[in-house]
Amino acid sequence: MNSLVFAQNKTATEYDRSLAWGALLLLSLGLVMVYSSSIATAEAGRYTGNNSAYFLQRHGLFLALALCAATAVFLVPVRIWQKAAPWYFGACIVLLVLVLIPGIGREVNGARRWLNLGLVNMQPSELMKLAVVLYAADYTVRKHAVLKNFKRGLLPMLGVMLAVAWLLLREPDFGAFVVVAVSAFGVLFVGGMNGRHFTALVGMLAVGFAGLVLSSPYRMQRIFGFMDPWSDAYGKGYQLSHALIAFGRGEWLGVGLGASIEKLHYLPEAHTDFLLAVIAEELGLAGVVLVITLFVWVVLRAFAIGRQAAMRERYFAALVAQGIGIWIGFQALINMGVNTGLLPTKGLTLPLMSFGGSGLIVNCVAIAILIRIDWENRQLARGLNA
């Protein structure tokens, strides 16, 4: 009798351990590599107090806050997220407006993307990535009966997304705009959007992307730098050329942890946008393959959890799980493409790994929601099999 009770209690506490361990391995490797890639920058920076562990300490603090937030979020039932989705989305829009107001939003290198909260800066565009997944999932469930109708189903969501896009491009944060758009319409497509409407939408996005590039000189420079970085290795192709040098130096097993040369003020943003290049240099192809494998596993588990939720008619949970998989997988793919020269240079961090408080916390919260959905799936399955 006691063994039966123990078995039932063990089943009740089950969750997707492989997903949790995959995310924890990415977080742990990210912590190590952020420290390794930022030492030279921290030692030379006045605002860092010439403290070589400056970024390690801040990233460690952000990681601790992220894990605490994830633990708290895991305790929140998914139905609460469904009720809160429109309110959370609305709050993120307000934050995107606030960040554009002089004196409130903080401007760095010509971009106004941060709100100064004293000890830390908050980046509303990172919060919007999760908000749009939750809102799109809730919208799809509420409008499922008319989702294939352009006027009643797609047009309202398209109008909302255009407003979000306008706010993000005003910062400007083109990378966040792309991730948010793909995440939102990816959820709508998985939820049953009309195939012709989706194809037309993809065409519109492609035309809009081309228009944004052609209308902006600095985006044009990035495109030309991506096409042939060696033609101007000290100008528009500087970042990509040094990222490729890092990949070349790493070869199969890398030059050794901490032994990167490119991080010594040659490769800009080594601890954020180009963290993968430092991983490639220090840990080699083996380290890059490990990172890719872990991301592929997280995304596969997200879609598997989504399918399990859909089988149990938990459609909001299913769409949220798959939306998180689309968001994290797509952002990781863009970052890896930029680092390897397959895509134009764009300021997108590597999820769960790169330095950045807002992104790290939101990523961990998303993983916690994903684990919660899986936990509720298992609870429901246990109830049906009891």
Side-chain angles (χ1 to χ4, degrees):
M1 182 67 178
N2 289 336
S3 62
L4 178 60
V5 172
F6 175 78
Q8 289 177 338
N9 288 335
K10 183 179 179 182
T11 304
T13 58
E14 280 184 352
Y15 61 94
D16 194 329
R17 286 182 170 82
S18 67
L19 170 61
W21 276 110
L24 284 172
L25 284 172
L26 287 170
L27 290 167
S28 301
L29 181 59
L31 180 66
V32 173
M33 295 311 302
V34 163
Y35 179 44
S36 178
S37 62
S38 66
I39 292 175
T41 302
E43 286 180 341
R46 291 183 179 179
Y47 69 97
T48 64
N50 304 114
N51 176 12
S52 63
Y54 176 83
F55 290 103
L56 171 66
Q57 292 167 354
R58 288 182 68 83
H59 194 74
L61 175 61
F62 293 147
L63 182 56
L65 292 173
L67 292 175
C68 290
T71 302
V73 165
F74 175 76
L75 302 176
V76 179
V78 176
R79 68 176 185 277
I80 301 298
W81 284 108
Q82 185 170 7
K83 293 178 181 178
W87 298 100
Y88 176 43
F89 184 74
C92 287
I93 289 180
V94 171
L95 292 175
L96 289 178
V97 172
L98 289 176
V99 82
L100 297 176
I101 300 175
I104 298 180
R106 183 188 176 200
E107 185 174 339
V108 178
N109 296 328
R112 192 182 296 275
R113 302 176 185 174
W114 297 269
L115 292 174
N116 192 342
L117 302 182
L119 296 176
V120 296
N121 295 313
M122 182 177 68
Q123 193 169 355
S125 59
E126 293 292 340
L127 277 65
M128 178 54 78
K129 293 174 185 176
L130 175 60
V132 78
V133 168
L134 295 171
Y135 181 76
D138 176 59
Y139 180 88
T140 302
V141 171
R142 286 188 289 108
K143 299 282 189 176
H144 189 265
V146 296
L147 194 61
K148 294 184 181 297
N149 184 290
F150 178 80
K151 185 176 180 180
R152 298 175 61 193
L154 181 59
L155 190 58
M157 185 65 176
L158 184 59
V160 171
M161 291 309 302
L162 286 173
V164 173
W166 184 81
L167 290 171
L168 289 173
L169 292 174
R170 287 281 295 171
E171 296 184 5
D173 195 342
F174 186 71
F177 157 66
V178 173
V179 172
V180 164
V182 169
S183 300
F185 293 110
V187 170
L188 289 175
F189 179 72
V190 172
M193 178 196 292
N194 185 297
R196 288 177 301 174
H197 293 163
F198 182 77
T199 303
L201 186 62
V202 171
M204 289 169 57
L205 288 174
V207 172
F209 172 79
L212 288 170
V213 169
L214 293 173
S215 64
S216 175
Y218 86 90
R219 292 193 184 108
M220 286 288 289
Q221 289 179 357
R222 287 188 171 185
I223 293 293
F224 288 127
F226 150 73
M227 293 172 63
D228 186 7
W230 307 108
S231 65
D232 188 9
Y234 293 98
K236 55 181 178 287
Y238 184 82
Q239 283 182 306
L240 179 53
S241 62
H242 281 282
L244 294 176
I245 290 171
F247 272 86
R249 291 194 73 247
E251 297 184 350
W252 293 100
L253 298 177
V255 297
L257 185 64
S260 166
I261 291 178
E262 286 301 316
K263 69 184 182 184
L264 303 178
H265 308 296
Y266 294 106
L267 181 62
E269 310 297 339
H271 57 300
T272 55
D273 300 349
F274 284 90
L275 185 69
L276 187 69
V278 179
I279 293 174
E281 186 178 4
E282 296 191 348
L283 304 182
L285 179 63
V288 174
V289 170
L290 173 61
V291 170
I292 293 174
T293 302
L294 289 172
F295 273 113
V296 168
W297 181 250
V298 168
V299 173
L300 288 176
R301 290 309 307 152
F303 276 86
I305 290 168
R307 285 195 300 271
Q308 292 163 5
M311 289 171 59
R312 292 166 175 79
E313 299 183 353
R314 304 178 63 231
Y315 298 117
F316 172 78
L319 292 172
V320 169
Q322 293 173 343
I324 290 172
I326 292 170
W327 155 32
I328 291 179
F330 182 73
Q331 182 168 333
L333 181 65
I334 293 293
N335 179 274
M336 292 175 185
V338 167
N339 275 254
T340 55
L342 297 175
L343 294 171
T345 303
K346 177 37 56 196
L348 275 176
T349 57
L350 193 59
L352 297 167
M353 298 189 72
S354 293
F355 178 81
S358 300
L360 189 64
I361 292 172
V362 173
N363 291 159
C364 287
V365 166
I367 294 296
I369 293 174
L370 198 52
I371 295 174
R372 174 72 193 200
I373 293 171
D374 175 72
W375 185 83
E376 291 185 5
N377 285 343
R378 294 171 190 250
Q379 296 302 298
L380 185 58
R382 176 173 173 267
L384 293 175
N385 295 329

